[in-house]
Amino acid sequence: MASLRATTRLPKPVQDSETLFHKFSESPHAALRARSAAIQQLAPCPVCAASHDHIHAHVKAQPRAVKFECPDCGWPTHCTEEHHQEDEEHHKYCSRLREANEDEHDLRSGRRLREFELPGPQGYEEAVSFANWDVFWYTRGFPSMDTERSRRHASKLLSFPITIGSTIHQHSGLTLSNQRLTPEGSRSLAALRSTLHVAPGAPETAEAAVGKPQVRVFILGARAESSLPPHVWEQLTMLFPSTHMHLFFIGPQVSLPRDLPPPASPAASASTLDMARENVPNTGSDATPSMSPESSETSTEVTEKKPDYIPNVYQPPTPAPIERLKRTRSSLQRYGVPSYTVPYTPQLTVTGLQANYADVHAQFQHTLDPYSDLFFMFCPGFGFPSPDSVSEETGEPLLQISSPTEWGPVMPMLLASKCPIFVTGFSPTDVERDVRSLSTAPDVAGEFEWVITPGPNAFGSEKWEVADFDPRVMVKANWGIWGIRGKSRDIQERSRFSFSL
């Protein structure tokens, strides 16, 4: 009884700004202290960078690394306090860095995160609005988002599944009237929605899913989205209660369960173990993941090598291995690549394949159907230079959409399927860069039709993500969205009795 009273008298964590704010190097959390050290090694001082000429290779011409932490935002931003005081641009983004600092500490504060308490199934007579985050949360029955910080946390968690749901739902805010949906896109989504929803007037319940084809959502180039817990993705299926959805996370950085059963082949087993060892966590928390007793010999090696933080330098690291659920099973023998499948609920099945889509396309190409299949790519970076491929003519790096080792062979495959392809970007510049790259890609330029015109995504993340290689670079995941599909060809049938004179 005494222990119960002691438990009930524990003070609630204080949530004011002064309590949450810490300089990263003085943070009570090891992950944030490690992040400070990573930034200090990677980021250049903006004052030094503005005063030095990067063309020269000698040491004196290079900007010094940031070692001084701004007292207002807590991030390493300059090499010295003098340069911090000289910088006239820092105040423009200092408040955003302070906001991101407090958000990171709030997630680790130990308070009850009510914004992560997700609602259950929607009543079949209760409509969901996709006007914006506020109306969606209200009509969907989420806890009240009383602070801007709660909004940022919830929007980041839900941005991936709700972006998909709000795009393909029959009550989507992307319509012909606001010119975000094209006539071709209207026909394409009408075909898809005929599978997602029931006939008008019929109740949209789980019983209505009997006899309907499975809707497959292929999420290509998946990274962080593949590490989200299945109950977060279940929020997507609750928007379509009469549909069985099968999510496919496909990409070389897909997160796999940490203790999948070993494959039958010894060689394959060794390669799978090597991949598991490479999946070092990206410190979403300070806790060390637990391993199963069967893998105790390898778990020691993995935990010894686990760093507190992996910098997000240009190409984000592979997310941490995910928890293995009760019904998780290996799909290596079926797909021929490191993979898993989880039949999570009667309405949701999740499959992850750690491979490039071009390597597994042959297993899907003959079954792809515009009435039940769609592709999503979250911030794929089409317009960024490829780190691996170089043009034979100019010697300059190819764009990733044209690179034979990245999206080059994938996009023609997707367009040939005639299934809708939806793409997000993390900023207006990123969306424009990706759209412009379409006109230069071989077998893509002139071979597609617009489904959704480029523009803002109402369900993008509202949380600023700060780059470790330069804290001045801040983006919001899934800021914008656009969609295309393979170009349709009009076929005219000639009369079999026509005669030529």
Side-chain angles (χ1 to χ4, degrees):
M1 194 67 179
S3 61
L4 179 59
R5 291 196 188 97
T7 303
T8 57
R9 291 176 183 175
L10 286 177
K12 295 182 179 180
V14 182
Q15 298 306 312
D16 58 43
S17 176
E18 297 301 326
T19 304
L20 290 177
F21 176 76
H22 300 276
K23 290 184 178 180
F24 269 30
S25 62
E26 301 172 1
S27 172
H29 307 289
L32 299 183
R33 295 194 300 270
R35 186 172 188 182
S36 174
I39 295 174
Q40 292 181 31
Q41 293 178 355
L42 297 169
C45 173
V47 176
C48 294
S51 59
H52 291 313
D53 187 358
H54 290 270
I55 297 178
H56 301 289
H58 53 84
V59 176
K60 293 182 180 180
Q62 301 302 316
R64 291 178 289 181
V66 294
K67 299 296 182 183
F68 176 77
E69 290 179 316
C70 172
D72 297 322
C73 66
W75 291 75
T77 55
H78 297 81
C79 61
T80 61
E81 184 177 2
E82 290 74 17
H83 276 192
H84 173 263
Q85 295 175 351
E86 291 178 16
D87 191 356
E88 298 180 356
E89 300 293 321
H90 179 69
H91 72 278
K92 296 181 179 179
Y93 55 88
C94 184
S95 60
R96 292 180 184 177
L97 289 174
R98 169 85 179 220
E99 179 183 288
N101 181 320
E102 293 177 3
D103 286 350
E104 293 297 326
H105 283 93
D106 181 59
L107 287 172
R108 299 165 171 83
S109 65
R111 72 173 177 90
R112 179 182 177 184
L113 299 171
R114 289 185 56 84
E115 54 267 41
F116 292 164
E117 297 176 5
L118 308 181
Q122 188 85 351
Y124 71 90
E125 292 183 343
E126 301 173 0
V128 179
S129 173
F130 294 98
N132 52 51
W133 276 120
D134 290 316
V135 181
F136 171 79
W137 284 326
Y138 176 75
T139 57
R140 187 66 188 86
F142 277 79
S144 177
M145 305 295 172
D146 297 326
T147 64
E148 290 298 317
R149 181 168 293 116
S150 295
R151 290 175 53 88
R152 293 193 292 270
H153 290 336
S155 65
K156 180 182 179 181
L157 177 73
L158 296 167
S159 179
F160 294 108
I162 306 306
T163 292
I164 297 177
S166 65
T167 302
I168 61 179
H169 200 277
Q170 62 182 359
H171 298 148
S172 172
L174 306 173
T175 63
L176 288 168
S177 59
N178 60 19
Q179 299 183 351
R180 291 299 306 276
L181 184 65
T182 66
E184 294 79 10
S186 178
R187 291 192 292 269
S188 183
L189 286 180
L192 189 60
R193 288 166 180 169
S194 66
T195 306
L196 289 168
H197 299 283
V198 297
E204 198 149 357
T205 60
E207 291 77 13
V210 177
K212 291 175 61 176
Q214 186 183 72
V215 173
R216 298 185 297 181
V217 182
F218 295 90
I219 302 175
L220 308 187
R223 297 184 294 268
E225 55 269 34
S226 68
S227 63
L228 285 177
H231 75 271
V232 176
W233 285 104
E234 189 182 10
Q235 292 296 310
L236 171 60
T237 65
M238 290 180 182
L239 302 175
F240 307 95
S242 63
T243 301
H244 177 207
M245 284 194 170
H246 194 157
L247 305 181
F248 286 87
F249 299 109
I250 305 177
Q253 291 181 295
V254 166
S255 188
L256 298 176
R258 61 171 57 94
D259 56 351
L260 276 179
S265 169
S269 177
S271 63
T272 305
L273 179 59
D274 292 339
M275 292 183 181
R277 289 173 178 170
E278 293 173 1
N279 284 343
V280 288
N282 187 12
T283 60
S285 64
D286 298 336
T288 302
S290 59
M291 304 292 285
S292 63
E294 293 81 358
S295 58
S296 58
E297 295 181 1
T298 59
S299 65
T300 303
E301 183 176 356
V302 173
T303 53
E304 287 177 355
K305 292 184 179 180
K306 176 194 171 185
D308 286 321
Y309 183 74
I310 303 295
N312 55 359
V313 184
Y314 304 110
Q315 185 175 11
T318 300
I322 59 177
E323 293 292 336
R324 185 175 187 268
L325 302 179
K326 181 178 180 180
R327 294 181 294 274
T328 301
R329 61 180 184 269
S330 174
S331 298
L332 177 64
Q333 294 182 351
R334 177 172 182 178
Y335 298 109
V337 296
S339 54
Y340 72 95
T341 298
V342 182
Y344 188 67
T345 68
Q347 283 76 37
L348 175 62
T349 301
V350 178
T351 295
L353 291 81
Q354 199 175 69
N356 289 316
Y357 178 77
D359 299 332
V360 296
H361 173 70
Q363 304 186 45
F364 301 108
Q365 63 175 339
H366 298 300
T367 59
L368 292 174
D369 185 353
Y371 280 79
S372 58
D373 297 324
L374 64 148
F375 295 93
F376 249 91
M377 287 171 273
F378 293 105
C379 306
F382 289 157
F384 280 99
S386 169
D388 304 318
S389 303
V390 179
S391 172
E392 297 180 355
E393 299 178 356
T394 63
E396 297 181 354
L398 293 171
L399 298 182
Q400 292 189 22
I401 196 173
S402 305
S403 170
T405 60
E406 287 155 298
W407 297 109
V410 173
M411 288 303 294
M413 296 175 181
L414 306 186
L415 294 175
S417 71
K418 299 299 188 290
C419 296
I421 307 165
F422 302 101
V423 184
T424 69
F426 54 72
S427 68
T429 302
D430 184 50
V431 171
E432 181 181 2
R433 179 170 47 234
D434 287 353
V435 170
R436 288 182 180 274
S437 70
L438 298 176
S439 60
T440 63
D443 300 323
V444 174
E447 296 297 325
F448 65 89
E449 297 173 333
W450 287 103
V451 174
I452 294 176
T453 57
N457 172 26
F459 294 94
S461 171
E462 296 185 355
K463 183 179 184 297
W464 288 107
E465 305 293 340
V466 183
D468 292 340
F469 59 84
D470 192 340
R472 294 174 297 173
V473 178
M474 288 172 276
V475 299
K476 292 183 176 180
N478 305 326
W479 174 90
I481 188 171
W482 50 276
I484 59 176
R485 71 171 185 183
K487 196 168 188 177
S488 58
R489 308 294 182 183
D490 295 330
I491 300 176
Q492 296 180 354
E493 183 179 359
R494 298 181 61 183
S495 172
R496 58 186 298 184
F497 298 107
S498 62
F499 298 94
S500 58
L501 299 177

